[in-house]
């Protein structure tokens, strides 16, 4: 009898590949450090799918060849902007939503991304054809939100779908002028084998949507989730692909929200939009300074008003410092809203130049209202708040200070001094301390407030009337 040869059919497991979220490099093995770019912990497991033929480079109909043209022969094409009517959003976008542009709106869960976009629909719905694709919420949920925000009257098309092909089909049928994709992490393409939200899927789906935007001149707004570190979940290339990246920031326990542009091909990245969240949705805050100073404590040490430039707009906020003696050899340092290293640098300058013993104290620093300040002009206020808390001296509520502090303890000029002084005066500050070189005749003439000149860090101490009490070892104390 003939022996039947039995062949074992082996199911082939899908091939795995490890992809770097920073540089997109692929490797068959997991490494702690990406072999291509050297970043730590950036490799994630993905299902391998062979690249589709003909990919790479911009896709175009075959037979059409593009050629280079001299720049002066190009027609002066100003980009067409749609003013959304939500002023704070327009400001961040650089004056409105540009036709054919792709905007990525990223933020933590529950911060208000869908709310902002639903309000955008309400503002533009009767003017533009909008297709709102939601992969996260059901129709009743979306309807309920629209009712709560009072935007249910807007003529927008809603699609609750996660499959890319279906979305593109509906897109072709509806032919919207604005497409909103909430969120890119929930959309998946059957062409890519990995799970929704994975690097391959996000790249594939964003690429497909963007192709449409560029071809049809549709504006696309993509919602992106953020990961634990606060970056946008998915491949780093996503940020390079889109025209603008907006971050929705804020403390969820606080009512204010800030929209900040991290990248904008059609405008400045310095502008911020300030909103306030309540049950009726987001309302624009036209006067953020007044709002941020609302709950300022009086007659308490460690609080100092700060004036920071956010793009073209001066914003006044409050900085609070708490300095307490510690028995631990390594004192605690916490900073919220001010760069941690900047705080350490200022503490070192105060310790060295004024002989103030911060090294024996825990230091907590906080900017009220969830504001994040990158402006070095805030140094003066940070230093004053720190000294005020350490010495327990109350800073007069009508005093505001601005100026960058150098390592030698010198005060350096700040940008847009005149604008800052104007805003400070408007909010009732009558004593404005600023670097010596910022004070000129025109500023003195136009300002009602008294301008106090700062040249060295010792002057900051003088402002608090604490000069006599400091350690005489201080270089500045000896020099004066
Ligand atoms: N009925 C309500 N009354 C008041 N505020 C509400 C109400 N429902 C929701 N909110 C506010 O709206 C926020 C949720 O906003 P939204 O759904 O726009 O966030 P999101 O950024 O889209 O979140 P996700 O990432 O989960 O999609 C809540 O955190 C809450 O502050
Ligand atoms: Mg949402
Ligand atoms: Zn890498």
């Amino acid at each position: 009898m003939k022996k039947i040869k039995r062949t074992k059919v082996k199911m082939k497991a899908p091939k795995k590949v490890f992809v770097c979220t920073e540089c997109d490099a692929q490797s068959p093995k997991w490494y702690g450090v990406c072999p291509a770019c050297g970043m730590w912990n950036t490799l994630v497991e993905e299902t391998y799918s062979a690249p589709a033929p003909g990919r790479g480079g911009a896709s175009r109909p075959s037979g059409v060849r593009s050629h280079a043209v001299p720049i002066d022969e190009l027609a002066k094409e100003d980009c067409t902007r749609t003013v959304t009517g939500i002023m704070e959003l327009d400001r961040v976008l650089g004056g409105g939503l540009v036709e054919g542009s792709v905007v990525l709106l990223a933020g933590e869960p529950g911060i208000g991304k869908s709310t902002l976009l639903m309000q955008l629909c309400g503002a533009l719905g009767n003017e533009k054809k909008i297709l709102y694709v939601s992969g996260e919420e059901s129709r009743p949920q979306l309807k309920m939100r629209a009712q709560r925000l009072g935007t249910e009257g807007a003529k927008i098309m809603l699609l609750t779908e996660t499959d890319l092909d279906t979305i593109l089909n509906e897109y072709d049928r509806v032919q919207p002028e604005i497409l909103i994709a909430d969120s890119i992490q929930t959309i998946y393409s059957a062409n890519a084998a990995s799970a929704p939200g994975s690097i391959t899927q996000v790249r594939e789906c964003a690429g497909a949507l963007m192709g449409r935007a560029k071809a049809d001149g549709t504006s696309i707004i993509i919602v992106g989730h953020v990961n634990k570190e606060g970056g946008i979940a998915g491949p780093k290339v996503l940020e390079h692909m889109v025209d603008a990246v907006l971050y929705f920031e804020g403390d969820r326990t606080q009512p204010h929200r800030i929209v900040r542009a991290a990248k904008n091909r059609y405008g400045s990245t310095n502008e911020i939009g300030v909103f306030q969240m309540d049950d009726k949705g987001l309302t624009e805050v036209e006067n953020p300074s007044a709002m941020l100073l609302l709950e300022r404590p009086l007659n308490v040490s460690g609080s100092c008003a700060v004036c920071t430039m956010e793009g073209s707009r001066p914003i006044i906020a409050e900085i609070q410092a708490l300095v307490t003696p510690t028995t631990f050899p390594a004192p605690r340092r916490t900073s919220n809203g001010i760069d941690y290293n900047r705080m350490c640098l200022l503490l070192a300058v105060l310790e060295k130049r004024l002989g103030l013993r911060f090294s024996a104290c825990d230091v907590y620093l906080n900017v009220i209202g969830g504001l994040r300040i990158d402006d070095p002009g805030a140094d003066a206020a940070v230093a004053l708040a720190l000294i005020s808390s350490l010495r327990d001296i109350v800073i007069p509520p009508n005093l505001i200070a601005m100026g960058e502090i150098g390592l030698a303890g010198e005060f350096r000029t700040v940008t847009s001094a005149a604008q800052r002084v104007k805003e400070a005066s408007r909010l009732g500050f009558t004593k404005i301390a600023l670097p010596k070189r910022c004070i000129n005749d025109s500023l003195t003439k136009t300002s009602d407030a008294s301008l106090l000149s700062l040249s060295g860090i010792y002057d900051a101490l003088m402002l608090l009337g604490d000069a006599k009490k400091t350690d005489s070892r201080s270089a500045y104390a000896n020099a004066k």
Side-chain angles (χ1 to χ4, degrees):
M1 209 173 134
K2 218 175 164 190
K3 211 175 172 188
I4 300 168
K5 208 171 148 200
R6 284 170 74 183
T7 47
K8 220 177 181 177
V9 182
K10 241 193 194 166
M11 284 292 283
K12 227 179 171 186
K15 265 197 226 162
K16 292 284 176 204
V17 61
F18 293 88
V19 186
C20 173
T21 50
E22 283 293 318
C23 71
D24 242 11
Q26 302 193 343
S27 89
K29 266 174 69 184
W30 189 85
Y31 296 100
V33 183
C34 168
C37 70
M39 295 285 283
W40 279 87
N41 251 332
T42 53
L43 292 193
V44 292
E45 190 175 319
E46 292 273 309
T47 315
Y48 177 78
S49 53
R55 277 244 307 252
S59 58
R60 66 178 81 92
S62 55
V64 183
R65 287 198 140 196
S66 58
H67 52 94
V69 287
I71 192 163
D72 58 347
E73 277 178 24
L74 290 175
K76 188 173 169 268
E77 278 179 290
D78 225 347
C79 49
T80 330
R81 288 180 191 271
T82 309
V83 176
T84 65
I86 302 176
M87 256 186 44
E88 295 293 299
L89 184 63
D90 284 335
R91 186 199 303 277
V92 184
L93 287 170
L97 191 60
V98 175
E99 232 168 65
S101 71
V102 182
V103 178
L104 178 63
L105 177 68
E108 292 198 4
I111 200 81
K113 302 178 292 294
S114 309
T115 306
L116 180 65
L117 293 177
M118 191 54 92
Q119 285 183 270
L120 178 75
C121 290
L124 283 179
N126 294 327
E127 221 177 293
K128 296 266 169 190
K129 204 186 259 183
I130 305 179
L131 176 61
Y132 189 118
V133 181
S134 177
E136 293 184 342
E137 286 163 300
S138 63
R139 281 177 210 182
Q141 276 176 315
L142 290 167
K143 178 82 184 169
M144 246 165 59
R145 173 175 300 122
Q147 270 171 343
R148 180 161 58 85
L149 303 176
T151 58
E152 57 192 320
K155 285 188 226 108
I156 53 164
M157 301 291 282
L158 279 183
L159 176 67
T160 47
E161 180 59 63
T162 53
D163 177 48
L164 181 68
D165 289 332
T166 319
I167 292 170
L168 291 179
N169 283 341
E170 276 302 290
Y171 171 90
D172 290 336
R173 195 179 65 84
V174 176
Q175 302 208 321
E177 291 162 287
I178 298 174
L179 173 72
I180 295 173
D182 188 1
S183 64
I184 192 71
Q185 278 82 11
T186 52
I187 300 176
Y188 75 92
S189 158
N191 292 340
S194 45
S198 65
I199 294 183
T200 325
Q201 284 287 4
V202 169
R203 194 193 308 115
E204 177 87 20
C205 297
L209 291 176
M210 275 172 36
R212 297 302 175 100
K214 299 293 169 201
D216 307 345
T218 311
S219 312
I220 297 194
I221 304 177
I222 296 175
V223 172
H225 292 172
V226 295
N227 55 23
K228 269 205 294 292
E229 289 81 37
I232 296 165
K236 194 81 190 164
V237 283
L238 183 62
E239 286 165 71
H240 290 291
M241 283 155 85
V242 299
D243 297 311
V245 180
L246 307 186
Y247 275 97
F248 210 145
E249 299 174 351
D251 187 343
R252 244 175 311 162
T253 55
Q254 301 274 326
H256 13 270
R257 302 277 185 274
I258 291 168
V259 180
R260 186 188 297 271
K263 153 179 172 174
N264 192 351
R265 286 184 184 150
Y266 298 104
S268 150
T269 51
N270 297 323
E271 301 290 351
I272 63 168
V274 186
F275 293 92
Q276 194 158 0
M277 176 76 120
D278 57 27
D279 56 343
K280 291 276 174 295
L282 295 154
T283 32
E284 301 165 51
V285 177
E286 278 160 35
N287 194 345
S289 303
M291 183 190 79
L292 289 167
L293 290 176
L294 211 57
E295 290 173 84
R296 201 174 163 209
L298 299 175
N299 296 320
V300 182
S301 66
S303 155
C304 186
V306 61
C307 186
T308 162
M309 288 303 288
E310 296 290 344
S312 56
R313 177 160 62 166
I315 287 181
I316 295 185
E318 182 196 344
I319 288 191
Q320 292 193 340
L322 185 66
V323 181
T324 53
T326 181
T327 47
F328 290 104
R332 248 188 106 102
R333 305 263 180 268
T334 337
S335 166
N336 227 330
I338 297 274
D339 178 47
Y340 178 83
N341 292 322
R342 190 82 205 160
M343 173 188 69
C344 293
L345 185 148
L346 290 173
L347 285 171
V349 170
L350 292 177
E351 177 123 18
K352 176 83 180 174
R353 305 292 169 197
L354 293 177
L356 298 172
R357 292 266 294 144
F358 282 103
S359 52
C361 297
D362 287 340
V363 175
Y364 305 91
L365 197 65
N366 187 26
V367 183
I368 299 299
L371 202 68
R372 206 184 67 214
I373 301 180
D374 297 325
D375 179 4
D379 287 355
V382 175
L384 278 181
L386 288 169
I387 301 172
S388 159
S389 180
L390 179 78
R391 294 284 175 185
D392 212 8
I393 303 169
V394 177
I395 297 176
N398 60 346
L399 173 80
I400 189 167
M402 51 196 90
E404 180 181 346
I405 297 177
L407 289 184
E410 81 281 15
F411 273 97
R412 302 178 150 265
T413 49
V414 291
T415 54
S416 324
Q419 259 178 293
R420 296 184 201 234
V421 167
K422 202 170 147 206
E423 176 77 354
S425 310
R426 188 177 75 79
L427 283 151
F429 290 92
T430 52
K431 287 182 182 170
I432 304 172
L434 67 172
K436 198 172 165 195
R437 287 198 36 216
C438 288
I439 303 178
N440 52 32
D441 286 347
S442 72
L443 198 62
T444 327
K445 255 181 237 156
T446 51
S447 162
D448 309 330
S450 56
L451 306 178
L452 313 170
S453 145
L454 299 170
S455 47
I457 190 74
Y458 186 77
D459 298 332
L461 210 55
M462 297 279 280
L463 277 183
L464 298 184
D466 187 41
K468 298 169 300 295
K469 295 186 218 159
T470 40
D471 199 332
S472 58
R473 279 172 310 175
S474 148
Y476 272 89
N478 290 334
K480 289 260 168 173

